[in-house]
């Protein structure tokens, strides 16, 4: 059996703010008693927990959570912890109505109740799963049993709280704050699976201060990976306990801190497609997926998915060594030791920081970032290894000596340099009679047959590679008279510009301004360069038939659109204001269909490839724009659909040409007495029993599918008085808003603003729609309040909410006293409706009324 002993202050508030002042010394035993007789009688230092009617063993799910937490503490510390079955032990974990409403624990003490953990019977702790309140309660209470106090309270040997910047669930499970700055009396506001899944960085450091740091944990080479759809962690391929039991969905959260004792350790995120933000510094956090971030309430999300533990006594063995990104555009930051940082796919930004790092950009356009100016580094290139060596020449060499491969740019404090300019002579192209060669950051116009030509210049000064931002020369050719044509390309926009130079390579004029690759002027010059500059598969102009339905063929040639007869011959060029339309000059918009109509003019359908929207032009017989037949409309718009027959095409891809060529309607839902039906871009509120109801309208005008961005109706029901309630959902945010309409389907008012699916007002309306709109498994509201020491935990708990707080068991006057029980987690007094109203107020006034119609 262990003995409780005093703990001294460290003079570091990050640690002292969690120290109660007592800890265990010796072998610590724990057990799950199954009978009151397992406890001493009398139960010194405690209350009547063992003898209160209703005493029971802790639920098996809580026992599993305690065992998990014990495993964590064993991994963090050198504590000697032994399981004692159901017998007496230093830490005895059981259930008793005396602990109602939730749970509490006693600090280590040399008395009967010292270290014991009690769970009440009022709430269903058998619902404990990794990441939810019940499970994290086990971590919190066991923390007390090992000597941790609440982080927000002064006390302990230094009589301090944890500094406010780290007093929240991101840094400690002992805090009463869901997020930094949250109230300590208003209750937790975390989502159901938004609770810490491990002890966090401050907890780990405080436990190690009391019990020492265990550097044998994962002391060999370790690879950490996570599942993007369930949040489950894998250590060297072995699956760990999964959040929510691996259910995914709302349980797909990652909210943990990693402690690793030694070896070469790697965060491998190669299975992620998101834009990762990985930071290997102690105490820092990494974001793998915004979907997997824990929502902490009131608009606050956790700053990361995975946090790194602090160094204990500055011992470098617990650093994470390496990181591998995914296929997204990742940001990776190393730490003070030698890291291997691999961006993998995507356009990545990688900062090695201190230490002699290995940086591998991988596929995509990658950038290695350095803190000093370009002149602070020597850069050398090895053709054999195809890698650069960068040496920091500043005092102390703060960026070390790095080996860098597969990186396109070096970003220094004063400039960004393309790595291609640092490789020595590099032939960029050698088609035709002139080779474009990059040598020592200058561009040379050398004869293909051999020898040296002039350097490309502007105003007599040599062009320096990288000094023109994203623009760089991609082709050059000597022309009649001895001068040169030089093609430049913007790597960001894909645009081109052609220079004309004299025989010394000095700029004279531009043959084209900045133009897209589809521009006819660029295309006509491709033959001069003997190259397919724009990558359209042709050198010079080519005919591309966009469509040939009906009597008119829409053809792209040399950057212009022709309205040719399908039967043969050439028609007019599509124009606006008398000037030909140049392909690419309208951004994401381009013509996709054309047809000659009665009177000799043409209808021309345009489509935006980014938004999927359409607009229809009417032109005269010369192809010149006259008017728009439709504004910018989605593919579901009835006006577009009605014009499909003019083009003889299914423009919107719904499987039919016009409104009647395919399914007449799509039933969105038909629960209850009203069926919500989408037909020809309108929403009909039809009786489920049969027949046709009104069209959904706003201001008397039908609501057009797609015209409200990500918002669309998902449910409708006729209510007393003849009007309708309409539930809208935002497909991007998952938020809801509910309309009330009159009997003609015309908008009257909003019953709710924009609210998340957890909002009580939305839940209260679910029975009206006969549906589980928010997907929580229930139609209507479920109990929402679970409590612990002034925290309200917002999730379905079962049972009833509390009418008042409970007092802590036998509270002691000072933490230094070995017979001091940690403060019990309780809920503020109030009835069910008061608690629900308060929760609603603090949780759901999150958005401005951007979607509200009034």
């Amino acid at each position: 059996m262990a003995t409780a002993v005093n703990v001294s202050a460290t003079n570091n508030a990050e640690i002292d703010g969690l120290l109660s002042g007592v800890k265990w010394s010796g072998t610590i035993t724990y057990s799950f008693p199954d009978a009151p007789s397992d406890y001493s009688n009398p139960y010194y230092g405690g209350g009547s927990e063992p003898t209160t009617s209703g005493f029971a063993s802790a639920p098996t799910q809580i026992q599993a959570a305690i065992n998990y937490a014990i495993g964590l503490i064993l991994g963090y510390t050198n504590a000697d912890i032994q399981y004692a079955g159901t017998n007496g032990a230093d830490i005895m974990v059981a259930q008793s109505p005396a602990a109602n409403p939730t749970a509490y624990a006693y600090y280590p003490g040399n008395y009967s109740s010292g270290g014991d953990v009690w769970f009440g019977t009022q709430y269903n702790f058998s619902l404990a799963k990794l990441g939810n309140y019940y499970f994290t309660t086990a971590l919190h209470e066991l923390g007390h049993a090992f000597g941790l106090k609440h982080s927000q309270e002064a006390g302990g040997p230094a009589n301090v709280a944890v500094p406010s910047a780290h007093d929240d669930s991101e840094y400690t499970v002992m805090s009463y704050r869901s997020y930094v700055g949250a109230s300590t009396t208003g209750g937790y506001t975390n989502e159901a699976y938004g609770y810490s899944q491990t002890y966090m960085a401050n907890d780990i450091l405080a436990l190690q201060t009391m019990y020492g740091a265990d550097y044998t944990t994962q002391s060999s080479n370790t690879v950490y990976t996570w599942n993007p759809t369930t949040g489950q962690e894998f250590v060297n391929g072995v699956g760990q306990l999964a959040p929510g039991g691996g259910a995914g969905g709302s349980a797909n959260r990652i909210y943990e801190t990693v402690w690793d004792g030694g070896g070469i350790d790697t965060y491998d995120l190669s299975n992620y497609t998101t834009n990762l933000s990985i930071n290997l510094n102690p105490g820092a956090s990494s974001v793998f997926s915004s979907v997997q971030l824990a929502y902490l309430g009131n608009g606050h999300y956790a700053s990361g998915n995975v946090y790194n533990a602090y160094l204990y006594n500055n011992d470098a063995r617990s650093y994470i060594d390496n990181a591998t990104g995914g296929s997204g555009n990742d940001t990776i930051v190393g730490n003070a030791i030698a890291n291997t940082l691999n961006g993998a796919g995507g356009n990545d930004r990688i900062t090695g920081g201190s230490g002699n790092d290995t940086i591998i950009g991988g596929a995509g356009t990658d950038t290695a970032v350095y803190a000093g100016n370009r002149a602070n580094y020597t850069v050398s290139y090895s053709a054999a290894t195809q890698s650069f060596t960068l040496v920091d020449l500043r005092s102390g060499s703060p960026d070390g000596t790095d080996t860098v491969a597969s990186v396109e740019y070096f970003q220094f404090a004063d400039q960004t340099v393309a790595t291609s300019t640092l490789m020595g002579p590099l032939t960029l192209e050698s088609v035709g009679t002139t080779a474009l060669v990059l040598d020592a950051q200058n561009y040379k116009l050398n004869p293909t047959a051999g020898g040296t030509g002039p350097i490309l210049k502007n105003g007599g000064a040599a062009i320096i590679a990288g000094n023109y931002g994203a623009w760089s020369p991609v082709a050059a050719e000597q022309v009649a008279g001895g001068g040169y044509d030089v093609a430049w390309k913007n790597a960001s926009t894909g645009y081109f510009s052609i220079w004309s130079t004299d025989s010394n390579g000095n700029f004279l004029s531009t043959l084209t301004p900045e133009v897209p690759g589809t521009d006819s002027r660029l295309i006509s010059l491709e033959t001069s360069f003997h190259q397919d500059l724009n990558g359209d598969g042709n050198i010079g102009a080519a005919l591309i038939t966009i469509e040939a339905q009906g009597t008119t063929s829409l053809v792209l040639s040399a950057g212009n659109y022709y309205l040719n007869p399908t039967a043969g011959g050439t028609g007019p060029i599509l124009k606006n204001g008398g000037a030909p339309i140049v392909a690419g000059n309208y951004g994401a918009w381009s013509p996709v269909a054309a047809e000659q109509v009665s009177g000799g003019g043409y209808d021309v359908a345009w489509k935006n490839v980014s938004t999927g929207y359409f607009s229809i032009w009417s032109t005269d017989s010369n192809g010149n724009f006259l008017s728009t037949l439709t504004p910018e409309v989605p593919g579901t718009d009835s006006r577009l659909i009605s014009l499909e027959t003019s083009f003889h095409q299914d423009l919107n891809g719904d499987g039919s040409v016009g409104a009647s060529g395919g399914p007449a309607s799509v039933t969105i839902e038909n629960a209850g007495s009203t069926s919500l039906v989408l037909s020809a871009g309108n929403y009909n509120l039809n009786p489920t029993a049969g027949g046709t109801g009104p069209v959904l309208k706003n201001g008397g005008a039908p609501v057009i599918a797609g015209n409200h961005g990500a918002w669309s109706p998902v449910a409708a029901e006729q209510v007393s008085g003849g009007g309708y309630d309409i539930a809208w959902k935002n497909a991007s945010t998952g938020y809801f808003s509910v309309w009330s309409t009159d009997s003609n389907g015309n908008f009257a008012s909003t019953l709710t603003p924009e609210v998340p699916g957890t909002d009580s007002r939305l839940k209260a309306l679910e029975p009206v729609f006969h549906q589980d709109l928010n997907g929580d498994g229930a139609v209507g509201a479920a109990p929402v309040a679970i409590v612990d020491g002034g925290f309200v935990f917002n999730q379905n708990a079962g049972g009833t909410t509390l009418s008042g707080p409970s007092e802590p068991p036998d509270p002691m006057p000072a933490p230094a006293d070995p017979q001091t029980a940690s403060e019990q987690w309780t809920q503020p007094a109030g009835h069910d409706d008061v608690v629900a109203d308060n929760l609603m107020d603090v949780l759901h006034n999150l958005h401005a009324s951007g979607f509200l119609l009034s």
Side-chain angles (χ1 to χ4, degrees), residues 516-527:
T518 53
D519 190 275
S520 57
R521 292 164 289 186
L522 174 76
I523 292 172
S524 67
L525 286 167
E526 286 186 328
T527 54

Side-chain angles (χ1 to χ4, degrees), residues 580-747:
I581 298 294
V582 176
N585 277 9
Y586 284 75
W589 287 95
S590 62
V592 293
E595 192 65 19
Q596 192 168 33
V597 295
S598 60
Y602 297 85
D603 287 353
V604 180
W606 290 71
K607 183 176 182 181
N608 186 307
V609 294
S610 296
T611 64
Y613 274 50
F614 294 83
S615 183
I616 311 297
W617 280 16
S618 173
T619 82
D620 61 20
S621 58
N622 294 316
N624 201 51
F625 170 79
L626 294 175
S627 63
T628 54
L629 301 180
T630 74
E632 300 178 16
V633 296
T636 53
D637 189 276
S638 57
R639 292 165 289 187
L640 175 75
I641 293 171
S642 68
L643 286 167
E644 286 187 328
T645 53
S646 300
F647 294 99
H648 311 284
Q649 292 185 57
D650 174 22
L651 295 174
N652 63 4
D654 65 358
S656 63
V657 177
S660 59
S665 62
V666 176
T667 299
I668 296 170
E669 66 89 13
N670 59 1
S673 64
T674 302
S675 180
L676 178 61
V677 177
L678 176 63
S679 178
N682 299 140
Y683 295 97
N684 294 314
L685 312 174
N686 295 341
T688 305
T692 303
V695 171
L696 179 62
K697 296 181 282 293
N698 181 24
V703 171
I704 305 297
N707 275 9
H708 289 267
W711 286 95
S712 61
V714 294
E717 191 65 19
Q718 191 168 33
V719 294
S720 60
Y724 296 84
D725 287 355
I726 312 292
W728 290 71
K729 184 176 182 179
N730 187 305
S732 297
T733 65
Y735 274 54
F736 294 84
S737 183
V738 181
W739 282 13
S740 173
T741 80
D742 60 23
S743 59
N744 294 316
N746 200 49
F747 170 78

